[in-house]
PDB file of all heavy atoms in Angstrom:
ATOM      1  N   VAL A  30      20.721   0.930   0.693  1.00 98.00           N
ATOM      2  CA  VAL A  30      19.781   1.830   0.030  1.00 98.00           C
ATOM      3  C   VAL A  30      19.206   0.965  -1.144  1.00 98.00           C
ATOM      4  O   VAL A  30      18.092   1.065  -1.437  1.00 98.00           O
ATOM      5  CB  VAL A  30      20.294   3.160  -0.325  1.00 98.00           C
ATOM      6  CG1 VAL A  30      19.291   3.902  -1.140  1.00 98.00           C
ATOM      7  CG2 VAL A  30      20.783   3.927   0.870  1.00 98.00           C
ATOM      8  N   LYS A  31      20.079   0.416  -2.008  1.00 98.00           N
ATOM      9  CA  LYS A  31      19.639  -0.293  -3.176  1.00 98.00           C
ATOM     10  C   LYS A  31      18.764  -1.396  -2.695  1.00 98.00           C
ATOM     11  O   LYS A  31      17.698  -1.704  -3.295  1.00 98.00           O
ATOM     12  CB  LYS A  31      20.801  -0.862  -3.948  1.00 98.00           C
ATOM     13  CG  LYS A  31      21.526   0.316  -4.664  1.00 98.00           C
ATOM     14  CD  LYS A  31      22.715  -0.233  -5.484  1.00 98.00           C
ATOM     15  CE  LYS A  31      23.419   0.757  -6.394  1.00 98.00           C
ATOM     16  NZ  LYS A  31      24.413   0.179  -7.238  1.00 98.00           N
ATOM     17  N   HIS A  32      19.074  -2.137  -1.671  1.00 98.00           N
ATOM     18  CA  HIS A  32      18.424  -3.366  -1.274  1.00 98.00           C
ATOM     19  C   HIS A  32      16.988  -2.893  -0.759  1.00 98.00           C
ATOM     20  O   HIS A  32      16.056  -3.558  -1.120  1.00 98.00           O
ATOM     21  CB  HIS A  32      19.130  -4.083  -0.113  1.00 98.00           C
ATOM     22  CG  HIS A  32      18.457  -5.352   0.366  1.00 98.00           C
ATOM     23  ND1 HIS A  32      18.734  -6.580  -0.323  1.00 98.00           N
ATOM     24  CD2 HIS A  32      17.621  -5.601   1.297  1.00 98.00           C
ATOM     25  CE1 HIS A  32      18.040  -7.502   0.384  1.00 98.00           C
ATOM     26  NE2 HIS A  32      17.357  -6.935   1.238  1.00 98.00           N
ATOM     27  N   VAL A  33      16.972  -1.925   0.096  1.00 98.00           N
ATOM     28  CA  VAL A  33      15.680  -1.465   0.705  1.00 98.00           C
ATOM     29  C   VAL A  33      14.741  -0.891  -0.414  1.00 98.00           C
ATOM     30  O   VAL A  33      13.589  -1.135  -0.378  1.00 98.00           O
ATOM     31  CB  VAL A  33      15.945  -0.435   1.869  1.00 98.00           C
ATOM     32  CG1 VAL A  33      14.699   0.228   2.228  1.00 98.00           C
ATOM     33  CG2 VAL A  33      16.601  -1.086   3.016  1.00 98.00           C
ATOM     34  N   ARG A  34      15.293  -0.240  -1.354  1.00 98.00           N
ATOM     35  CA  ARG A  34      14.452   0.278  -2.396  1.00 98.00           C
ATOM     36  C   ARG A  34      13.736  -0.867  -3.302  1.00 98.00           C
ATOM     37  O   ARG A  34      12.600  -0.586  -3.702  1.00 98.00           O
ATOM     38  CB  ARG A  34      15.277   1.103  -3.416  1.00 98.00           C
ATOM     39  CG  ARG A  34      15.807   2.454  -2.928  1.00 98.00           C
ATOM     40  CD  ARG A  34      16.536   3.211  -4.046  1.00 98.00           C
ATOM     41  NE  ARG A  34      15.682   3.774  -5.082  1.00 98.00           N
ATOM     42  CZ  ARG A  34      16.132   4.551  -5.988  1.00 98.00           C
ATOM     43  NH1 ARG A  34      17.467   4.749  -6.241  1.00 98.00           N
ATOM     44  NH2 ARG A  34      15.228   4.976  -6.903  1.00 98.00           N
ATOM     45  N   SER A  35      14.442  -1.975  -3.438  1.00 98.00           N
ATOM     46  CA  SER A  35      13.963  -3.026  -4.235  1.00 98.00           C
ATOM     47  C   SER A  35      13.170  -4.153  -3.400  1.00 98.00           C
ATOM     48  O   SER A  35      12.789  -5.101  -3.995  1.00 98.00           O
ATOM     49  CB  SER A  35      15.135  -3.692  -5.104  1.00 98.00           C
ATOM     50  OG  SER A  35      16.033  -4.245  -4.125  1.00 98.00           O
ATOM     51  N   HIS A  36      12.978  -3.877  -2.147  1.00 98.00           N
ATOM     52  CA  HIS A  36      12.318  -4.889  -1.381  1.00 98.00           C
ATOM     53  C   HIS A  36      11.170  -4.208  -0.518  1.00 98.00           C
ATOM     54  O   HIS A  36      11.364  -4.062   0.657  1.00 98.00           O
ATOM     55  CB  HIS A  36      13.359  -5.603  -0.465  1.00 98.00           C
ATOM     56  CG  HIS A  36      14.220  -6.586  -1.114  1.00 98.00           C
ATOM     57  ND1 HIS A  36      15.344  -6.195  -1.883  1.00 98.00           N
ATOM     58  CD2 HIS A  36      14.085  -7.938  -1.220  1.00 98.00           C
ATOM     59  CE1 HIS A  36      15.929  -7.320  -2.380  1.00 98.00           C
ATOM     60  NE2 HIS A  36      15.224  -8.265  -2.036  1.00 98.00           N
ATOM     61  N   PRO A  37      10.084  -3.933  -1.131  1.00 98.00           N
ATOM     62  CA  PRO A  37       9.066  -3.257  -0.485  1.00 98.00           C
ATOM     63  C   PRO A  37       8.392  -4.164   0.606  1.00 98.00           C
ATOM     64  O   PRO A  37       7.697  -3.683   1.465  1.00 98.00           O
ATOM     65  CB  PRO A  37       8.001  -2.959  -1.600  1.00 98.00           C
ATOM     66  CG  PRO A  37       8.400  -3.921  -2.675  1.00 98.00           C
ATOM     67  CD  PRO A  37       9.817  -4.086  -2.682  1.00 98.00           C
ATOM     68  N   GLU A  38       8.564  -5.473   0.424  1.00 98.00           N
ATOM     69  CA  GLU A  38       8.018  -6.385   1.498  1.00 98.00           C
ATOM     70  C   GLU A  38       8.606  -6.156   2.825  1.00 98.00           C
ATOM     71  O   GLU A  38       7.920  -6.463   3.883  1.00 98.00           O
ATOM     72  CB  GLU A  38       8.214  -7.866   1.109  1.00 98.00           C
ATOM     73  CG  GLU A  38       9.617  -8.390   1.204  1.00 98.00           C
ATOM     74  CD  GLU A  38      10.505  -7.976  -0.043  1.00 98.00           C
ATOM     75  OE1 GLU A  38       9.997  -7.239  -0.889  1.00 98.00           O
ATOM     76  OE2 GLU A  38      11.670  -8.473  -0.206  1.00 98.00           O
ATOM     77  N   LEU A  39       9.823  -5.580   2.867  1.00 98.00           N
ATOM     78  CA  LEU A  39      10.391  -5.183   4.176  1.00 98.00           C
ATOM     79  C   LEU A  39       9.422  -4.253   4.923  1.00 98.00           C
ATOM     80  O   LEU A  39       9.279  -4.226   6.134  1.00 98.00           O
ATOM     81  CB  LEU A  39      11.785  -4.634   4.109  1.00 98.00           C
ATOM     82  CG  LEU A  39      12.906  -5.612   3.720  1.00 98.00           C
ATOM     83  CD1 LEU A  39      14.139  -4.808   3.409  1.00 98.00           C
ATOM     84  CD2 LEU A  39      13.153  -6.522   4.860  1.00 98.00           C
ATOM     85  N   ARG A  40       8.992  -3.153   4.203  1.00 98.00           N
ATOM     86  CA  ARG A  40       8.229  -2.099   4.788  1.00 98.00           C
ATOM     87  C   ARG A  40       6.811  -2.693   5.075  1.00 98.00           C
ATOM     88  O   ARG A  40       6.279  -2.419   6.195  1.00 98.00           O
ATOM     89  CB  ARG A  40       8.067  -1.013   3.673  1.00 98.00           C
ATOM     90  CG  ARG A  40       9.310  -0.133   3.623  1.00 98.00           C
ATOM     91  CD  ARG A  40       9.275   0.970   2.553  1.00 98.00           C
ATOM     92  NE  ARG A  40       9.298   0.454   1.129  1.00 98.00           N
ATOM     93  CZ  ARG A  40      10.384   0.133   0.638  1.00 98.00           C
ATOM     94  NH1 ARG A  40      11.611   0.149   1.324  1.00 98.00           N
ATOM     95  NH2 ARG A  40      10.419  -0.239  -0.593  1.00 98.00           N
ATOM     96  N   THR A  41       6.314  -3.582   4.294  1.00 98.00           N
ATOM     97  CA  THR A  41       5.023  -4.222   4.640  1.00 98.00           C
ATOM     98  C   THR A  41       5.035  -4.995   5.910  1.00 98.00           C
ATOM     99  O   THR A  41       4.304  -4.880   6.866  1.00 98.00           O
ATOM    100  CB  THR A  41       4.557  -5.101   3.349  1.00 98.00           C
ATOM    101  OG1 THR A  41       4.435  -4.410   2.265  1.00 98.00           O
ATOM    102  CG2 THR A  41       3.193  -5.700   3.782  1.00 98.00           C
ATOM    103  N   HIS A  42       6.049  -5.791   6.053  1.00 98.00           N
ATOM    104  CA  HIS A  42       6.210  -6.603   7.224  1.00 98.00           C
ATOM    105  C   HIS A  42       6.543  -5.769   8.416  1.00 98.00           C
ATOM    106  O   HIS A  42       6.044  -6.032   9.534  1.00 98.00           O
ATOM    107  CB  HIS A  42       7.436  -7.616   6.982  1.00 98.00           C
ATOM    108  CG  HIS A  42       7.473  -8.764   8.015  1.00 98.00           C
ATOM    109  ND1 HIS A  42       8.555  -9.529   8.110  1.00 98.00           N
ATOM    110  CD2 HIS A  42       6.574  -9.058   9.082  1.00 98.00           C
ATOM    111  CE1 HIS A  42       8.308 -10.381   9.128  1.00 98.00           C
ATOM    112  NE2 HIS A  42       7.103 -10.057   9.696  1.00 98.00           N
ATOM    113  N   HIS A  43       7.374  -4.652   8.282  1.00 98.00           N
ATOM    114  CA  HIS A  43       7.546  -3.762   9.482  1.00 98.00           C
ATOM    115  C   HIS A  43       6.309  -3.137   9.975  1.00 98.00           C
ATOM    116  O   HIS A  43       6.133  -3.138  11.147  1.00 98.00           O
ATOM    117  CB  HIS A  43       8.669  -2.606   8.867  1.00 98.00           C
ATOM    118  CG  HIS A  43       8.967  -1.729   9.947  1.00 98.00           C
ATOM    119  ND1 HIS A  43       8.966  -0.397   9.712  1.00 98.00           N
ATOM    120  CD2 HIS A  43       9.486  -1.855  11.217  1.00 98.00           C
ATOM    121  CE1 HIS A  43       9.352   0.334  10.858  1.00 98.00           C
ATOM    122  NE2 HIS A  43       9.644  -0.636  11.722  1.00 98.00           N
ATOM    123  N   GLN A  44       5.519  -2.676   9.092  1.00 98.00           N
ATOM    124  CA  GLN A  44       4.271  -2.089   9.505  1.00 98.00           C
ATOM    125  C   GLN A  44       3.332  -3.068  10.135  1.00 98.00           C
ATOM    126  O   GLN A  44       2.640  -2.742  11.174  1.00 98.00           O
ATOM    127  CB  GLN A  44       3.513  -1.485   8.303  1.00 98.00           C
ATOM    128  CG  GLN A  44       4.248  -0.246   7.746  1.00 98.00           C
ATOM    129  CD  GLN A  44       4.231   0.891   8.805  1.00 98.00           C
ATOM    130  OE1 GLN A  44       3.279   1.367   9.319  1.00 98.00           O
ATOM    131  NE2 GLN A  44       5.360   1.679   8.821  1.00 98.00           N
ATOM    132  N   GLU A  45       3.324  -4.307   9.656  1.00 98.00           N
ATOM    133  CA  GLU A  45       2.532  -5.343  10.335  1.00 98.00           C
ATOM    134  C   GLU A  45       2.956  -5.654  11.727  1.00 98.00           C
ATOM    135  O   GLU A  45       2.223  -5.773  12.665  1.00 98.00           O
ATOM    136  CB  GLU A  45       2.503  -6.606   9.477  1.00 98.00           C
ATOM    137  CG  GLU A  45       1.768  -7.788  10.004  1.00 98.00           C
ATOM    138  CD  GLU A  45       2.415  -8.615  11.079  1.00 98.00           C
ATOM    139  OE1 GLU A  45       3.701  -8.768  10.893  1.00 98.00           O
ATOM    140  OE2 GLU A  45       1.912  -9.043  12.160  1.00 98.00           O
ATOM    141  N   ARG A  46       4.273  -5.735  11.919  1.00 98.00           N
ATOM    142  CA  ARG A  46       4.775  -5.939  13.248  1.00 98.00           C
ATOM    143  C   ARG A  46       4.458  -4.871  14.236  1.00 98.00           C
ATOM    144  O   ARG A  46       4.148  -5.066  15.429  1.00 98.00           O
ATOM    145  CB  ARG A  46       6.405  -6.036  13.234  1.00 98.00           C
ATOM    146  CG  ARG A  46       6.839  -7.390  12.427  1.00 98.00           C
ATOM    147  CD  ARG A  46       6.748  -8.684  13.290  1.00 98.00           C
ATOM    148  NE  ARG A  46       5.405  -9.129  13.265  1.00 98.00           N
ATOM    149  CZ  ARG A  46       4.986 -10.168  13.979  1.00 98.00           C
ATOM    150  NH1 ARG A  46       5.724 -10.662  14.813  1.00 98.00           N
ATOM    151  NH2 ARG A  46       3.690 -10.575  14.035  1.00 98.00           N
ATOM    152  N   ALA A  47       4.626  -3.596  13.756  1.00 98.00           N
ATOM    153  CA  ALA A  47       4.236  -2.536  14.695  1.00 98.00           C
ATOM    154  C   ALA A  47       2.783  -2.462  15.059  1.00 98.00           C
ATOM    155  O   ALA A  47       2.449  -2.321  16.225  1.00 98.00           O
ATOM    156  CB  ALA A  47       4.544  -1.157  14.030  1.00 98.00           C
ATOM    157  N   ALA A  48       1.900  -2.741  14.103  1.00 98.00           N
ATOM    158  CA  ALA A  48       0.469  -2.814  14.329  1.00 98.00           C
ATOM    159  C   ALA A  48       0.121  -3.996  15.310  1.00 98.00           C
ATOM    160  O   ALA A  48      -0.651  -3.827  16.207  1.00 98.00           O
ATOM    161  CB  ALA A  48      -0.296  -2.938  12.973  1.00 98.00           C
ATOM    162  N   THR A  49       0.848  -5.076  15.100  1.00 98.00           N
ATOM    163  CA  THR A  49       0.530  -6.221  15.876  1.00 98.00           C
ATOM    164  C   THR A  49       0.901  -5.964  17.458  1.00 98.00           C
ATOM    165  O   THR A  49       0.151  -6.314  18.370  1.00 98.00           O
ATOM    166  CB  THR A  49       1.384  -7.469  15.451  1.00 98.00           C
ATOM    167  OG1 THR A  49       0.892  -7.824  14.123  1.00 98.00           O
ATOM    168  CG2 THR A  49       1.183  -8.725  16.330  1.00 98.00           C
ATOM    169  N   LEU A  50       2.141  -5.316  17.534  1.00 98.00           N
ATOM    170  CA  LEU A  50       2.482  -4.947  19.004  1.00 98.00           C
ATOM    171  C   LEU A  50       1.527  -4.008  19.667  1.00 98.00           C
ATOM    172  O   LEU A  50       1.202  -4.149  20.757  1.00 98.00           O
ATOM    173  CB  LEU A  50       3.978  -4.423  18.980  1.00 98.00           C
ATOM    174  CG  LEU A  50       4.507  -4.197  20.410  1.00 98.00           C
ATOM    175  CD1 LEU A  50       4.575  -5.412  21.189  1.00 98.00           C
ATOM    176  CD2 LEU A  50       5.887  -3.595  20.337  1.00 98.00           C
ATOM    177  N   LYS A  51       1.140  -2.981  18.874  1.00 98.00           N
ATOM    178  CA  LYS A  51       0.221  -2.032  19.425  1.00 98.00           C
ATOM    179  C   LYS A  51      -1.090  -2.727  19.874  1.00 98.00           C
ATOM    180  O   LYS A  51      -1.657  -2.463  20.971  1.00 98.00           O
ATOM    181  CB  LYS A  51      -0.159  -1.003  18.350  1.00 98.00           C
ATOM    182  CG  LYS A  51       0.926   0.036  18.082  1.00 98.00           C
ATOM    183  CD  LYS A  51       0.543   0.927  16.913  1.00 98.00           C
ATOM    184  CE  LYS A  51       1.668   1.787  16.462  1.00 98.00           C
ATOM    185  NZ  LYS A  51       1.231   2.607  15.289  1.00 98.00           N
ATOM    186  N   ARG A  52      -1.610  -3.662  18.969  1.00 97.00           N
ATOM    187  CA  ARG A  52      -2.825  -4.307  19.359  1.00 97.00           C
ATOM    188  C   ARG A  52      -2.622  -5.171  20.598  1.00 97.00           C
ATOM    189  O   ARG A  52      -3.416  -5.213  21.462  1.00 97.00           O
ATOM    190  CB  ARG A  52      -3.287  -5.204  18.199  1.00 97.00           C
ATOM    191  CG  ARG A  52      -4.414  -6.121  18.383  1.00 97.00           C
ATOM    192  CD  ARG A  52      -4.851  -6.867  17.257  1.00 97.00           C
ATOM    193  NE  ARG A  52      -3.765  -7.653  16.772  1.00 97.00           N
ATOM    194  CZ  ARG A  52      -3.403  -8.833  17.236  1.00 97.00           C
ATOM    195  NH1 ARG A  52      -4.032  -9.383  18.293  1.00 97.00           N
ATOM    196  NH2 ARG A  52      -2.445  -9.550  16.604  1.00 97.00           N
ATOM    197  N   LEU A  53      -1.474  -5.949  20.696  1.00 97.00           N
ATOM    198  CA  LEU A  53      -1.349  -6.779  21.799  1.00 97.00           C
ATOM    199  C   LEU A  53      -1.183  -5.991  23.143  1.00 97.00           C
ATOM    200  O   LEU A  53      -1.853  -6.389  24.046  1.00 97.00           O
ATOM    201  CB  LEU A  53      -0.037  -7.688  21.601  1.00 97.00           C
ATOM    202  CG  LEU A  53      -0.041  -8.732  20.522  1.00 97.00           C
ATOM    203  CD1 LEU A  53       1.255  -9.262  20.296  1.00 97.00           C
ATOM    204  CD2 LEU A  53      -1.055  -9.810  20.957  1.00 97.00           C
ATOM    205  N   LEU A  54      -0.450  -4.871  23.090  1.00 97.00           N
ATOM    206  CA  LEU A  54      -0.259  -4.112  24.310  1.00 97.00           C
ATOM    207  C   LEU A  54      -1.602  -3.456  24.663  1.00 97.00           C
ATOM    208  O   LEU A  54      -1.976  -3.402  25.783  1.00 97.00           O
ATOM    209  CB  LEU A  54       0.836  -3.062  24.039  1.00 97.00           C
ATOM    210  CG  LEU A  54       2.203  -3.579  23.892  1.00 97.00           C
ATOM    211  CD1 LEU A  54       3.148  -2.421  23.510  1.00 97.00           C
ATOM    212  CD2 LEU A  54       2.721  -4.269  25.114  1.00 97.00           C
ATOM    213  N   GLY A  55      -2.285  -2.999  23.662  1.00 96.00           N
ATOM    214  CA  GLY A  55      -3.545  -2.286  23.992  1.00 96.00           C
ATOM    215  C   GLY A  55      -4.634  -3.207  24.462  1.00 96.00           C
ATOM    216  O   GLY A  55      -5.308  -2.917  25.445  1.00 96.00           O
ATOM    217  N   ASP A  56      -4.711  -4.456  23.901  1.00 96.00           N
ATOM    218  CA  ASP A  56      -5.632  -5.403  24.414  1.00 96.00           C
ATOM    219  C   ASP A  56      -5.404  -5.921  25.890  1.00 96.00           C
ATOM    220  O   ASP A  56      -6.230  -6.245  26.558  1.00 96.00           O
ATOM    221  CB  ASP A  56      -5.596  -6.684  23.602  1.00 96.00           C
ATOM    222  CG  ASP A  56      -6.221  -6.440  22.137  1.00 96.00           C
ATOM    223  OD1 ASP A  56      -6.879  -5.346  21.996  1.00 96.00           O
ATOM    224  OD2 ASP A  56      -6.058  -7.239  21.242  1.00 96.00           O
ATOM    225  N   ALA A  57      -4.005  -5.805  26.276  1.00 96.00           N
ATOM    226  CA  ALA A  57      -3.787  -6.211  27.644  1.00 96.00           C
ATOM    227  C   ALA A  57      -3.757  -5.042  28.601  1.00 96.00           C
ATOM    228  O   ALA A  57      -3.666  -5.212  29.729  1.00 96.00           O
ATOM    229  CB  ALA A  57      -2.202  -6.688  27.523  1.00 96.00           C
ATOM    230  N   GLY A  58      -4.161  -3.901  28.085  1.00 96.00           N
ATOM    231  CA  GLY A  58      -4.452  -2.786  29.007  1.00 96.00           C
ATOM    232  C   GLY A  58      -3.429  -1.832  29.275  1.00 96.00           C
ATOM    233  O   GLY A  58      -3.422  -1.002  30.156  1.00 96.00           O
ATOM    234  N   PHE A  59      -2.286  -2.040  28.475  1.00 96.00           N
ATOM    235  CA  PHE A  59      -1.212  -1.112  28.798  1.00 96.00           C
ATOM    236  C   PHE A  59      -1.492   0.220  28.170  1.00 96.00           C
ATOM    237  O   PHE A  59      -2.084   0.391  27.083  1.00 96.00           O
ATOM    238  CB  PHE A  59       0.109  -1.740  28.204  1.00 96.00           C
ATOM    239  CG  PHE A  59       0.559  -2.963  28.954  1.00 96.00           C
ATOM    240  CD1 PHE A  59       0.372  -4.186  28.484  1.00 96.00           C
ATOM    241  CD2 PHE A  59       1.303  -2.827  30.129  1.00 96.00           C
ATOM    242  CE1 PHE A  59       0.879  -5.323  29.176  1.00 96.00           C
ATOM    243  CE2 PHE A  59       1.718  -3.933  30.836  1.00 96.00           C
ATOM    244  CZ  PHE A  59       1.420  -5.127  30.390  1.00 96.00           C
ATOM    245  N   PRO A  60      -0.865   1.281  28.736  1.00 95.00           N
ATOM    246  CA  PRO A  60      -1.120   2.742  28.238  1.00 95.00           C
ATOM    247  C   PRO A  60      -0.394   2.976  27.067  1.00 95.00           C
ATOM    248  O   PRO A  60       0.574   3.812  27.003  1.00 95.00           O
ATOM    249  CB  PRO A  60      -0.745   3.580  29.404  1.00 95.00           C
ATOM    250  CG  PRO A  60       0.307   2.810  30.136  1.00 95.00           C
ATOM    251  CD  PRO A  60      -0.077   1.301  29.893  1.00 95.00           C
ATOM    252  N   VAL A  61      -0.716   2.475  25.867  1.00 96.00           N
ATOM    253  CA  VAL A  61      -0.042   2.744  24.545  1.00 96.00           C
ATOM    254  C   VAL A  61      -0.522   4.100  24.155  1.00 96.00           C
ATOM    255  O   VAL A  61      -1.708   4.353  24.082  1.00 96.00           O
ATOM    256  CB  VAL A  61      -0.432   1.640  23.485  1.00 96.00           C
ATOM    257  CG1 VAL A  61       0.360   2.020  22.228  1.00 96.00           C
ATOM    258  CG2 VAL A  61      -0.054   0.318  24.092  1.00 96.00           C
ATOM    259  N   MET A  62       0.410   4.966  23.824  1.00 95.00           N
ATOM    260  CA  MET A  62       0.133   6.367  23.344  1.00 95.00           C
ATOM    261  C   MET A  62      -0.262   6.321  21.887  1.00 95.00           C
ATOM    262  O   MET A  62       0.232   5.436  21.299  1.00 95.00           O
ATOM    263  CB  MET A  62       1.433   7.237  23.600  1.00 95.00           C
ATOM    264  CG  MET A  62       1.845   7.289  24.984  1.00 95.00           C
ATOM    265  SD  MET A  62       3.443   8.189  25.152  1.00 95.00           S
ATOM    266  CE  MET A  62       3.000   9.872  24.788  1.00 95.00           C
ATOM    267  N   PRO A  63      -1.068   7.195  21.550  1.00 93.00           N
ATOM    268  CA  PRO A  63      -1.622   7.241  20.118  1.00 93.00           C
ATOM    269  C   PRO A  63      -0.412   7.406  19.203  1.00 93.00           C
ATOM    270  O   PRO A  63       0.465   8.209  19.388  1.00 93.00           O
ATOM    271  CB  PRO A  63      -2.515   8.513  20.076  1.00 93.00           C
ATOM    272  CG  PRO A  63      -3.047   8.632  21.430  1.00 93.00           C
ATOM    273  CD  PRO A  63      -1.816   8.216  22.359  1.00 93.00           C
ATOM    274  N   SER A  64      -0.244   6.557  18.101  1.00 94.00           N
ATOM    275  CA  SER A  64       0.731   6.568  17.118  1.00 94.00           C
ATOM    276  C   SER A  64       0.269   6.138  15.850  1.00 94.00           C
ATOM    277  O   SER A  64      -0.335   4.965  15.692  1.00 94.00           O
ATOM    278  CB  SER A  64       1.916   5.788  17.592  1.00 94.00           C
ATOM    279  OG  SER A  64       2.847   5.623  16.558  1.00 94.00           O
ATOM    280  N   VAL A  65       0.496   6.795  14.757  1.00 96.00           N
ATOM    281  CA  VAL A  65       0.130   6.402  13.339  1.00 96.00           C
ATOM    282  C   VAL A  65       1.242   5.826  12.620  1.00 96.00           C
ATOM    283  O   VAL A  65       1.062   5.598  11.433  1.00 96.00           O
ATOM    284  CB  VAL A  65      -0.556   7.518  12.637  1.00 96.00           C
ATOM    285  CG1 VAL A  65      -1.767   8.012  13.357  1.00 96.00           C
ATOM    286  CG2 VAL A  65       0.402   8.737  12.424  1.00 96.00           C
ATOM    287  N   SER A  66       2.345   5.571  13.373  1.00 97.00           N
ATOM    288  CA  SER A  66       3.492   5.205  12.716  1.00 97.00           C
ATOM    289  C   SER A  66       4.078   3.768  13.304  1.00 97.00           C
ATOM    290  O   SER A  66       3.279   3.224  14.026  1.00 97.00           O
ATOM    291  CB  SER A  66       4.701   6.181  12.671  1.00 97.00           C
ATOM    292  OG  SER A  66       5.109   6.364  14.047  1.00 97.00           O
ATOM    293  N   HIS A  67       5.278   3.462  12.942  1.00 97.00           N
ATOM    294  CA  HIS A  67       5.874   2.319  13.534  1.00 97.00           C
ATOM    295  C   HIS A  67       6.405   2.463  15.044  1.00 97.00           C
ATOM    296  O   HIS A  67       6.891   1.492  15.566  1.00 97.00           O
ATOM    297  CB  HIS A  67       7.094   1.878  12.653  1.00 97.00           C
ATOM    298  CG  HIS A  67       8.166   3.007  12.564  1.00 97.00           C
ATOM    299  ND1 HIS A  67       8.053   4.083  11.921  1.00 97.00           N
ATOM    300  CD2 HIS A  67       9.480   3.029  13.197  1.00 97.00           C
ATOM    301  CE1 HIS A  67       9.076   4.790  12.022  1.00 97.00           C
ATOM    302  NE2 HIS A  67      10.008   4.268  12.772  1.00 97.00           N
ATOM    303  N   ILE A  68       6.335   3.668  15.490  1.00 96.00           N
ATOM    304  CA  ILE A  68       6.790   3.973  16.829  1.00 96.00           C
ATOM    305  C   ILE A  68       5.594   3.501  17.885  1.00 96.00           C
ATOM    306  O   ILE A  68       4.488   3.856  17.608  1.00 96.00           O
ATOM    307  CB  ILE A  68       7.121   5.415  17.077  1.00 96.00           C
ATOM    308  CG1 ILE A  68       8.148   5.911  16.039  1.00 96.00           C
ATOM    309  CG2 ILE A  68       7.575   5.574  18.512  1.00 96.00           C
ATOM    310  CD1 ILE A  68       9.403   5.260  16.132  1.00 96.00           C
ATOM    311  N   VAL A  69       6.041   2.698  18.938  1.00 97.00           N
ATOM    312  CA  VAL A  69       5.014   2.151  19.894  1.00 97.00           C
ATOM    313  C   VAL A  69       5.498   2.773  21.287  1.00 97.00           C
ATOM    314  O   VAL A  69       6.220   2.035  22.001  1.00 97.00           O
ATOM    315  CB  VAL A  69       5.053   0.613  19.816  1.00 97.00           C
ATOM    316  CG1 VAL A  69       3.938   0.129  20.762  1.00 97.00           C
ATOM    317  CG2 VAL A  69       4.803   0.135  18.477  1.00 97.00           C
ATOM    318  N   PRO A  70       4.911   3.901  21.634  1.00 96.00           N
ATOM    319  CA  PRO A  70       5.240   4.480  22.888  1.00 96.00           C
ATOM    320  C   PRO A  70       4.401   4.026  24.047  1.00 96.00           C
ATOM    321  O   PRO A  70       3.134   3.995  23.727  1.00 96.00           O
ATOM    322  CB  PRO A  70       5.330   5.975  22.693  1.00 96.00           C
ATOM    323  CG  PRO A  70       4.362   6.124  21.538  1.00 96.00           C
ATOM    324  CD  PRO A  70       4.226   4.895  20.802  1.00 96.00           C
TER     325      PRO A  70
END
């Protein structure tokens, strides 16, 4: 908890990874369900 609180770059990188995977899957035509979070269904 202490580490995560003091390292906001973890959250930034996490969001970037989720957005990147959504984009890659969507561009390839896979049926990615709408998601505004880090979940990629």
Side-chain angles (χ1 to χ4, degrees):
V30 173
K31 288 183 174 181
H32 184 89
V33 169
R34 290 184 74 178
S35 61
H36 287 79
E38 71 278 4
L39 286 171
R40 287 178 282 285
T41 302
H42 194 192
H43 182 230
Q44 291 295 318
E45 180 276 322
R46 292 284 78 191
T49 297
L50 183 60
K51 289 177 190 175
R52 175 178 56 78
L53 290 173
L54 292 174
D56 289 350
F59 290 101
V61 181
M62 300 170 67
S64 166
V65 296
S66 68
H67 61 282
I68 307 296
V69 185

